Amino acid sequence: MTRILAALAPLTLFATPIAAQDDSLPEAEIYATQLVVIETAMGDITVEIEIERAPVTAGNFLRYVDEDRFDGTTFYRAMHLDWGESPNGLLQGGTQMHPDRVLDPIAHEPTTQTGLSHTDGALSMARYDPGSATGDFSIMIKDQTGLDATPASSDPSLQAGFAVFGHVVDGMDVVHAIHALPPDPDKGEGWMKGQLLADPVEIIDMRRVDAPTGTD
C-alpha cells in the first residue's frame, strides 16, 4: 500500500485559472506501507506499517505477524499521564519476552533517520537500551513527541529516542477503550507499578491485509 501525504483541495467556482497557478510546489512524497489488522477481544485496530521509512523495525514487526507470534498475546499496559487532556499516554502490548515467541533484538532506527514521530496513534517499539527491542510495542494516545530522538540530550537513551514504525488508521476507539480499563494497583514494579491492566485484553490474531481499491 502507499500513503499520500497531501491531498488535492476541492475545486470551487472561484478556483485560480490554470495559467496563474503556482506549479513550483514539490510533489507529495509517496511511501510504501503495509496494512495490518490487530484483532482483539474488544474489537479490531487497523495499522499502517512503514516498510519503506522504517524498514528494519517494520520488517521485525511483520515477521512477528507472519509467524503468528503475536496471536494469543495481550495489550497489558496502559500508561496515563498526569498532565494534558485525557485520554493521553500510551497502550502497550506484545510478547512480554515469552521465550517461545520472542526473536533476537533489532537495530535501533531513530526518528531522526526515519522522519517519523510519536504523534497520536503512532506505533513505537518498546525497549530497554537502544537496540534491545524485540516483540513489544506501544500505541501513542495524543502526541508524545518527547519520545522522539533528541540528539542534543546528554542522556544516551533520550538521544536515541524510541523507534516509530507505523500508525493507527482505524480503530482508535478500540485503543481508547482498552486504555481506559482499570489497572491492578498491585501489579508491576518500580515505574511500571499501577500501569498494568487488571484484565489484559487478548490479541486474538494479527494479519496483513490489502489496501482498499475503491468501488466503481
Side-chain angles (χ1 to χ4, degrees), residues 34-58:
Q34 171 65 56
L35 287 180
V36 169
V37 170
I38 305 173
E39 181 185 348
T40 83
M42 292 182 62
D44 291 352
I45 304 163
T46 303
V47 298
E48 195 170 57
I49 305 303
E50 296 278 357
I51 58 176
E52 182 175 353
R53 289 195 282 182
V56 173
T57 317

Side-chain angles (χ1 to χ4, degrees), residues 170-206:
D170 189 44
M172 275 302 287
D173 57 331
V174 177
V175 174
H176 290 166
I178 299 173
H179 185 255
L181 293 174
D184 184 331
D186 299 321
K187 279 186 179 180
E189 297 179 358
W191 51 268
M192 288 279 283
K193 196 171 183 67
Q195 296 185 9
L196 300 182
L197 295 177
D199 294 305
V201 174
E202 183 183 5
I203 296 172
I204 299 168
D205 178 61
M206 282 202 208

Side-chain angles (χ1 to χ4, degrees), residues 18 26 40 69 83 106 119 121 124 129 154 164 175:
I18 293 176
T40 83
R69 293 176 182 271
W83 63 88
I106 58 171
T119 53
S124 176
D129 295 326
S154 59
V164 176
V175 174

Side-chain angles (χ1 to χ4, degrees), residues 41-92:
M42 292 182 62
D44 291 352
I45 304 163
T46 303
V47 298
E48 195 170 57
I49 305 303
E50 296 278 357
I51 58 176
E52 182 175 353
R53 289 195 282 182
V56 173
T57 317
N60 175 72
F61 183 83
L62 290 172
R63 182 179 174 188
Y64 278 82
V65 171
D66 294 341
E67 296 180 4
D68 298 329
R69 293 176 182 271
F70 286 130
D71 298 359
T73 62
T74 62
F75 282 110
Y76 56 85
R77 178 189 176 204
M79 185 189 78
H80 297 259
L81 299 177
D82 294 330
W83 63 88
E85 182 183 356
S86 183
N88 59 19
L90 59 81
L91 178 67
Q92 187 169 314

